[in-house]
Amino acid sequence: MKFQNILSETNNGITTITINRPSKLNALNRDTIQELHKAFEAAENSSKTKVIIITGSGEKAFVAGADISEFADFSVEEGGKLAAKGQELLFDFVANLSKPVIAAVNGFALGGGLELAMAAHFRVASNNAKMGLPEVSLGVIPGYGGTQRLPQLVGKGRAMEMIMTAGMIDATQALEYGLVNHVTTPEELLEFTEKIAGKIMRNSSVAIASAINAINANYQDGENGFEVEIEEFGNCFGTEDFKEGTQAFLQKRKAVFPGK
């Protein structure tokens, strides 16, 4: 699959998707969102992919935001459609993938960039990263899930302050807030993230998919997370991975999971 704005490469079970518009600080335009959707969809459906890493090319930016020139003259109706389509194609899509998605945040993650990082299942940042949702400085609000996911990750008060001030926080503050799980040097970012991916891949991909679904259920209107957990827990008992995992434990050996 050939792309104009992104790169996608799979090695040793890890698919690394890189937004490759360094001259635009990897800003998200319509074409890039569409390509990202296709790349994530392909990784989700590939038996070769166990973990997905999303990052940006160059040293300056993960994603510096959306491409404002594309929607500066939109009407109310067009603005609503823009947000709905973006969430459907990319942000909600990524959040609900059954394969783990880790954002390796290098440099600026602003606006849609931070929203993409937050849609990933968790985040690792380089120590030169800067994160923020500056949309109110443009007379608009975050429209790709930012007003929902940021409070879930950092708490209501901190999210309110970040969104209202349109300010940026650095990697140290993001770690303190719980917005990122780890901070590394820029040089170590991908290697460190791949090591975490390696730890994930030792475990049952079927069970991990069930865990993602159960965890996400707690944040969805009309869903009872405990009920989804019970259902997913029960479903695990019917899988080959469960049989292998329990037998390996009882036989005091390492499990070799068949996966999907």
Side-chain angles (χ1 to χ4, degrees):
M1 197 176 294
K2 290 188 177 181
F3 299 109
Q4 298 295 317
N5 301 302
I6 68 171
L7 305 170
S8 183
E9 186 177 22
T10 303
N11 290 303
N12 301 318
I14 302 171
T15 293
T16 302
I17 300 171
T18 306
I19 300 158
N20 189 33
R21 303 181 74 214
S23 64
K24 301 287 186 182
L25 295 180
N26 301 324
L28 294 177
N29 60 4
R30 247 179 311 222
D31 291 342
T32 304
I33 287 174
Q34 187 68 52
E35 288 188 2
L36 283 168
H37 172 80
K38 290 178 180 177
F40 276 110
E41 186 176 49
E44 171 81 348
N45 294 329
S46 172
S47 60
K48 294 179 180 178
T49 300
K50 301 299 181 188
V51 178
I52 303 166
I53 295 173
I54 176 72
T55 194
S57 65
E59 298 177 357
K60 292 183 179 179
F62 172 73
V63 173
D67 197 329
I68 295 163
S69 63
E70 281 196 338
F71 57 80
D73 59 351
F74 271 19
S75 67
V76 170
E77 184 180 0
E78 288 171 322
K81 286 181 179 177
L82 178 73
K85 194 66 176 176
Q87 291 199 38
E88 176 191 345
L89 280 176
L90 185 58
F91 301 87
D92 288 347
F93 186 77
V94 167
N96 291 295
L97 291 178
S98 68
K99 293 182 178 177
V101 181
I102 310 171
V105 181
N106 53 311
F108 291 107
L110 304 176
L114 181 55
E115 288 172 305
L116 177 57
M118 291 192 294
H121 297 130
F122 61 93
R123 289 143 294 284
V124 180
S126 58
N127 56 24
N128 65 335
K130 303 275 189 183
M131 294 165 233
L133 295 174
E135 284 86 347
V136 297
S137 69
L138 302 173
V140 70
I141 69 168
Y144 288 143
T147 64
Q148 306 304 300
R149 292 193 177 98
L150 188 62
Q152 290 167 8
L153 290 165
V154 307
K156 182 180 176 181
R158 283 173 170 163
M160 286 282 195
E161 181 180 354
M162 285 180 66
I163 290 170
M164 288 180 187
T165 62
M168 291 187 291
I169 61 172
D170 62 20
T172 302
Q173 212 167 355
L175 183 65
E176 179 191 334
Y177 280 11
L179 184 53
V180 302
N181 290 26
H182 306 277
V183 175
T184 76
T185 65
E187 296 77 19
E188 295 171 321
L189 177 62
L190 276 180
E191 183 182 354
F192 183 90
T193 307
E194 286 166 1
K195 283 182 180 177
I196 297 175
K199 292 179 181 178
I200 291 170
M201 288 190 291
R202 295 174 198 160
N203 303 310
S204 163
S205 58
V206 174
I208 285 169
S210 292
I212 290 170
N213 189 43
I215 293 166
N216 280 345
N218 186 52
Y219 297 97
Q220 293 170 357
D221 287 341
E223 288 273 18
N224 184 314
F226 288 100
E227 289 179 1
V228 175
E229 180 185 273
I230 290 166
E231 182 181 359
E232 291 287 3
F233 179 79
N235 289 342
C236 287
F237 282 73
T239 68
E240 291 300 317
D241 278 25
F242 174 75
K243 292 175 187 175
E244 168 60 16
T246 52
Q247 286 302 305
F249 177 82
L250 295 171
Q251 294 167 10
K252 298 181 179 178
R253 62 175 174 83
K254 285 185 177 181
V256 181
F257 292 108
K260 288 185 179 179

